[in-house]
Amino acid sequence: MSNAKNSTFRFGLHYYKKCIPAAILTQLMGFAATVADLFLPLLFEMFIDYVICSNTDGNTSIFSFLLQTEKYPVHSFRLFWHLAFFYIGLLLIRIILVYLKKLINQVIGLKLETTLRYKTYAKLMTLDSLTLSNFNSGELLQTINSDTIMYKDLFCKMIPTIIDSSFAMILSIVILAGMSPWLLLVPLLLTPVFMIELRRFKKLSRERYKEIRNCNSNMTLTVQENIEAVRLVRAFTNENLEEEKFSDANEKLKKAHLDQIALSAKFEAVFSSIKQAAYIGTIAVSSVLVLTGHFKIGFLVACSQYVMKIMNYVTQINNNFFQMQQQVVSGLKMLNFMNTQSKVQDTDAGITDEKNKMPSIRYENASLTLSGKKVLDKLNLQIPYGKKIGITGATGSGKSMMLEVLVRNYELSGGKIFINEKDSREYSLKELRSMFSYVFQEAFLFSNTIKSNIAYAEHGTDEQIITASRHAQAHDFISRLPEGYETIVGERGIGLSGGQKQRLSIARALMKNSPVLIFDDSTSALDVETEKKLLADVKKFYPEKTILISAHRLSSIKDCDEIIYMKDGNIAERGTFDELIKLNGHFAGVWKIQEMQHSSFVDFDSLAERSQPEGEK
Ligand SMILES: Nc1ncnc2c1ncn2[C@@H]1O[C@H](COP(=O)(O)OP(=O)(O)OP(=O)(O)O)[C@@H](O)[C@H]1O
């Protein structure tokens, strides 16, 4: 096995370790079932040679018969019944053992699958936004949902079957060697052919399974995007284009599967030919041995059964190695994902310091480079606790990023951020993030009740939930819903307008009750009046909190203690509203136009161009 495959195996073994005692028990059951199974041809041989083919009458029991060194034909009904009893007894034992073994193995498999799914999910939660953006969602869903199921089969199906088959094969060889070493010649001669063919097929199989997996994740992504963008597709009447894209992904998946089916068929044809050759070879050799008087007919039947068993086990082992490539591919994908290092590293410092309930913030030459582009460029800013700061600027100027780096969704490429004069990286992520109630640009609601969505971070009383909703201007519309706070929203619930979703997200952040509130363009879908009321209420009811509001609509931030105008990842202008108007720069230019237009939508790119201060033109 190559290094990659070794590590893939070791990675799974780490989680499988706890199941090893149960796995050993099932393996022992498997061995016992094999022993029972391998006894059957011997009983069959006695039945043919000493019950059916004999013509001497006798009255022998199976025990006395087995103990005799010199066996003779008995043609006894007593022996017949004893043989039948033993045969059925062994069959029953075998069936019970195989049943128990499969049951326990399935439970072990389910346990391992659940652990693997949990671990991959937990890993997903630790990754920072930039690292996560390197994976597409189809790929991530494939890893968490399908690869975990596939990979656990390596430990709970493939490896146990290979061990079982190897044990049975070795035992069959030993028995056959005891009966007639000549018949071992055939399987021994064919084994190298098996090995060479298997090596060739294994490599091809792994390639095919890789292709199937890639096509699968592409397919998942296509379906997911189409579900999310269904309204967009209809609005652009682009159903045909999307259908073509879907059909293309679907066809590629079909082709990948067909290629694998063709390979499997070829594999089976080749291996069944080798098996048939073994069978014919055995018949030929044993016919000679019977004709020359070396074998009785029942002995011949038993020997050929062992040869066939050996060949079946060899085929089964090969088949498992062939199919195992699918599990190896899934394991490699999982290993790759689990080895992905988050750019944001957590610390062990976990205890909440009382004074962090009133954090001051300081950016010191904070820089962020994403995909080679400077998104924040040596940003310096001090925000004492309790200040209300408005942030505005052209689209793409870095407003969201300067807020996201506060909670370390992205890691700074240079400079530092201090919280209470302590480097933010020295806080545990849990503690750092507990200081901020963040309302993101896109309002996301879980498929759950409104109440649970609002009480997402804090399990508050009904009264607290209603209070937060009132302050977020959401209580009135929630009360008008037939189910009120118990209404299910999100993907599986009723539809809400963009503004309603934003208000629920704000209520959720207010419920969290952190000392710093961050509104990242999160009131953009509200009408001017509601937005004004909401922000006024937030300032009124949470006067002590630091509030950072990023907005395009300048009226939203007009009353802030300080306004920051961002440009190219840095602060272009800062001051109170009056100071910025007096400055007559970018901000004043945008303000004039917004006032003139009374519009809620502004194209900052063009406005920023037009409103450049005299000196910069
Ligand atoms: N994951 C990413 N990889 C690379 N570049 C990114 C990534 N996320 C954001 N950017 C870039 O960072 C820059 C700043 O983005 P940011 O979201 O902070 O802008 P913004 O000022 O908030 O814009 P808007 O007002 O449109 O929300 C943009 O140029 C954007 O293209």
Side-chain angles (χ1 to χ4, degrees):
M1 268 205 238
S2 66
N3 269 349
K5 273 193 275 170
N6 262 331
S7 355
T8 312
F9 180 73
R10 270 203 308 273
F11 148 70
L13 196 62
H14 177 71
Y15 301 109
Y16 185 63
K17 263 194 306 215
K18 275 192 209 138
C19 308
I20 285 180
I24 290 175
L25 177 72
T26 60
Q27 210 60 68
L28 291 175
M29 285 177 177
F31 291 164
T34 303
V35 172
D37 187 49
L38 292 180
F39 250 108
L40 299 179
L42 289 177
L43 294 178
F44 207 62
E45 180 225 332
M46 290 178 205
F47 178 71
I48 294 176
D49 285 346
Y50 302 103
V51 178
I52 295 178
C53 294
S54 68
N55 43 25
T56 314
D57 206 358
N59 200 21
T60 317
S61 82
I62 192 163
F63 301 106
S64 54
F65 184 81
L66 283 174
L67 288 173
Q68 285 175 28
T69 44
E70 194 66 27
K71 291 191 181 66
Y72 53 90
V74 287
H75 199 62
S76 146
F77 267 107
R78 198 165 165 214
L79 182 61
F80 167 78
W81 287 118
H82 282 180
L83 283 173
F85 174 76
F86 254 76
Y87 199 92
I88 292 168
L90 283 177
L91 266 184
L92 277 177
I93 290 173
R94 188 178 169 275
I95 288 168
I96 293 169
L97 285 171
V98 169
Y99 166 79
L100 286 175
K101 181 189 145 200
K102 277 202 172 157
L103 194 73
I104 300 174
N105 256 345
Q106 298 244 351
V107 176
I108 296 176
L110 213 57
K111 225 166 132 183
L112 180 63
E113 180 189 319
T114 313
T115 310
L116 288 172
R117 202 178 295 126
Y118 173 75
K119 293 288 173 189
T120 40
Y121 172 78
K123 179 76 193 183
L124 180 76
M125 290 293 113
T126 65
L127 295 180
D128 63 293
S129 305
L130 184 62
T131 311
L132 265 182
S133 65
N134 292 332
F135 294 90
N136 71 51
S137 48
E139 179 82 15
L140 292 174
L141 283 173
Q142 183 85 10
T143 302
I144 295 174
N145 287 333
S146 316
D147 287 337
T148 44
I149 299 175
M150 201 56 79
Y151 185 51
K152 71 110 191 336
D153 279 346
L154 177 67
F155 294 91
C156 302
K157 207 160 140 192
M158 294 300 160
I159 294 175
T161 315
I162 290 174
I163 296 176
D164 268 350
S165 303
S166 307
F167 173 75
M169 186 186 72
I170 293 167
L171 208 61
S172 306
I173 291 174
V174 171
I175 295 173
L176 190 62
M179 291 171 83
S180 168
W182 286 108
L183 288 178
L184 269 179
L185 258 182
V186 181
L188 282 180
L189 280 175
L190 288 173
T191 302
V193 186
F194 263 113
M195 302 312 266
I196 294 166
E197 283 301 298
L198 176 68
R199 222 179 130 81
R200 192 165 68 87
F201 275 106
K202 248 172 55 180
K203 200 164 166 248
L204 286 171
S205 171
R206 202 172 323 134
E207 294 305 317
R208 300 281 197 278
Y209 280 125
K210 254 187 211 161
E211 185 60 24
I212 289 178
R213 199 197 165 284
N214 289 343
C215 289
N216 255 328
S217 54
N218 188 31
M219 181 77 190
T220 316
L221 181 68
T222 310
V223 173
Q224 200 195 1
E225 279 187 348
N226 270 283
I227 293 169
E228 280 172 15
V230 67
R231 283 185 304 162
L232 179 87
V233 174
R234 284 183 192 149
F236 282 77
T237 55
N238 247 351
E239 286 90 342
N240 289 346
L241 178 76
E242 289 308 314
E243 226 173 276
E244 265 174 41
K245 266 163 62 184
F246 177 82
S247 172
D248 185 42
N250 207 13
E251 282 301 316
K252 276 188 182 148
L253 183 61
K254 184 176 93 183
K255 188 180 172 306
H257 272 293
L258 280 176
D259 286 351
Q260 177 58 23
I261 289 170
L263 186 73
S264 290
K266 211 165 145 190
F267 173 83
E268 268 169 35
V270 170
F271 279 78
S272 122
S273 308
I274 303 175
K275 234 166 78 176
Q276 289 310 318
Y279 193 62
I280 294 167
T282 308
I283 299 284
V285 175
S286 35
S287 302
V288 173
L289 292 170
V290 171
L291 288 174
T292 51
H294 286 85
F295 276 8
K296 280 177 184 295
I297 192 79
F299 194 74
L300 165 81
V301 172
C303 285
S304 349
Q305 278 192 19
Y306 283 117
V307 173
M308 283 324 289
K309 273 186 186 296
I310 293 171
M311 296 318 289
N312 278 340
Y313 292 133
V314 173
T315 315
Q316 199 165 25
I317 295 169
N318 284 322
N319 245 326
N320 278 328
F321 273 117
F322 177 71
Q323 283 174 19
M324 199 198 264
Q325 303 319 306
Q326 195 170 4
Q327 277 92 37
V328 171
V329 170
S330 287
L332 281 170
K333 288 283 176 185
M334 283 186 66
L335 180 68
N336 176 39
F337 178 68
M338 295 301 278
N339 279 345
T340 307
Q341 285 302 318
S342 179
K343 292 189 172 52
V344 174
Q345 290 301 317
D346 203 355
T347 66
D348 298 331
I351 303 136
T352 305
D353 198 334
E354 271 304 300
K355 71 176 185 183
N356 292 333
K357 293 199 169 141
M358 296 171 70
S360 64
I361 301 166
R362 183 161 67 86
Y363 293 78
E364 188 185 276
N365 292 324
S367 303
L368 177 67
T369 305
L370 296 175
S371 313
K373 184 183 169 195
K374 275 211 160 161
V375 170
L376 293 178
D377 190 10
K378 296 197 175 143
L379 181 75
N380 286 297
L381 176 67
Q382 176 115 30
I383 308 173
Y385 178 65
K387 283 274 176 225
K388 320 292 180 242
I389 307 286
I391 303 161
T392 191
T395 174
S397 56
K399 302 184 291 295
S400 296
M401 288 303 148
M402 76 173 275
L403 297 173
E404 296 237 27
V405 290
L406 280 178
V407 287
R408 293 183 72 202
N409 277 345
Y410 292 87
E411 193 72 305
L412 289 179
S413 344
K416 283 177 183 171
I417 290 174
F418 292 94
I419 308 287
N420 276 337
E421 291 311 314
K422 182 167 138 183
D423 191 332
S424 65
R425 283 169 293 198
E426 289 172 24
Y427 291 97
S428 69
L429 286 172
K430 196 172 162 78
E431 184 175 16
L432 179 72
R433 288 171 184 169
S434 73
M435 295 182 221
F436 298 89
S437 287
Y438 209 121
V439 189
F440 290 93
Q441 237 167 349
E442 298 90 21
F444 181 85
L445 298 177
F446 293 94
S447 298
N448 210 333
T449 59
I450 287 185
K451 194 172 153 183
S452 323
N453 266 288
I454 296 175
Y456 180 64
E458 282 299 320
H459 296 291
T461 60
D462 283 0
E463 208 175 309
Q464 287 170 313
I465 294 172
I466 292 173
T467 307
S469 308
R470 277 192 204 282
H471 297 159
Q473 312 302 307
H475 179 69
D476 287 351
F477 89 80
I478 298 172
S479 306
R480 282 196 296 273
L481 294 170
E483 309 272 333
Y485 280 84
E486 296 302 325
T487 309
I488 305 274
V489 290
E491 265 193 51
R492 274 182 269 139
I494 66 154
L496 293 177
S497 73
Q500 288 170 330
K501 283 188 200 163
Q502 283 192 336
R503 278 179 277 170
L504 290 186
S505 308
I506 291 170
R508 176 165 58 200
L510 295 179
M511 239 344 248
K512 190 182 171 199
N513 201 22
S514 303
V516 184
L517 272 171
I518 298 180
F519 291 171
D520 185 0
D521 210 5
S522 48
T523 51
S524 56
L526 303 186
D527 59 85
V528 179
E529 278 312 303
T530 313
E531 183 191 41
K532 212 167 155 183
K533 177 98 180 55
L534 189 152
L535 292 173
D537 272 8
V538 170
K539 282 176 202 157
K540 181 172 147 197
F541 293 109
Y542 306 91
E544 74 291 354
K545 288 189 195 300
T546 302
I547 306 179
L548 309 178
I549 309 169
S550 154
H552 282 282
R553 199 151 61 195
L554 301 191
S555 57
S556 322
I557 52 172
K558 182 172 175 277
D559 300 328
C560 288
D561 298 331
E562 187 171 13
I563 298 168
I564 283 159
Y565 189 96
M566 291 292 291
K567 191 168 185 284
D568 301 330
N570 213 328
I571 299 171
E573 294 168 9
R574 61 186 287 188
T576 61
F577 175 76
D578 291 339
E579 284 167 355
L580 290 181
I581 292 293
K582 218 179 269 169
L583 188 70
N584 204 18
H586 299 290
F587 182 87
V590 177
W591 172 257
K592 273 180 217 153
I593 293 160
Q594 282 193 12
E595 274 294 277
M596 226 159 49
Q597 292 181 336
H598 285 292
S599 163
S600 59
F601 171 75
V602 177
D603 181 351
F604 268 92
D605 285 327
S606 55
L607 288 178
E609 272 299 307
R610 277 191 268 160
S611 64
Q612 278 201 351
E614 285 308 311
E616 281 186 45
K617 276 188 186 172

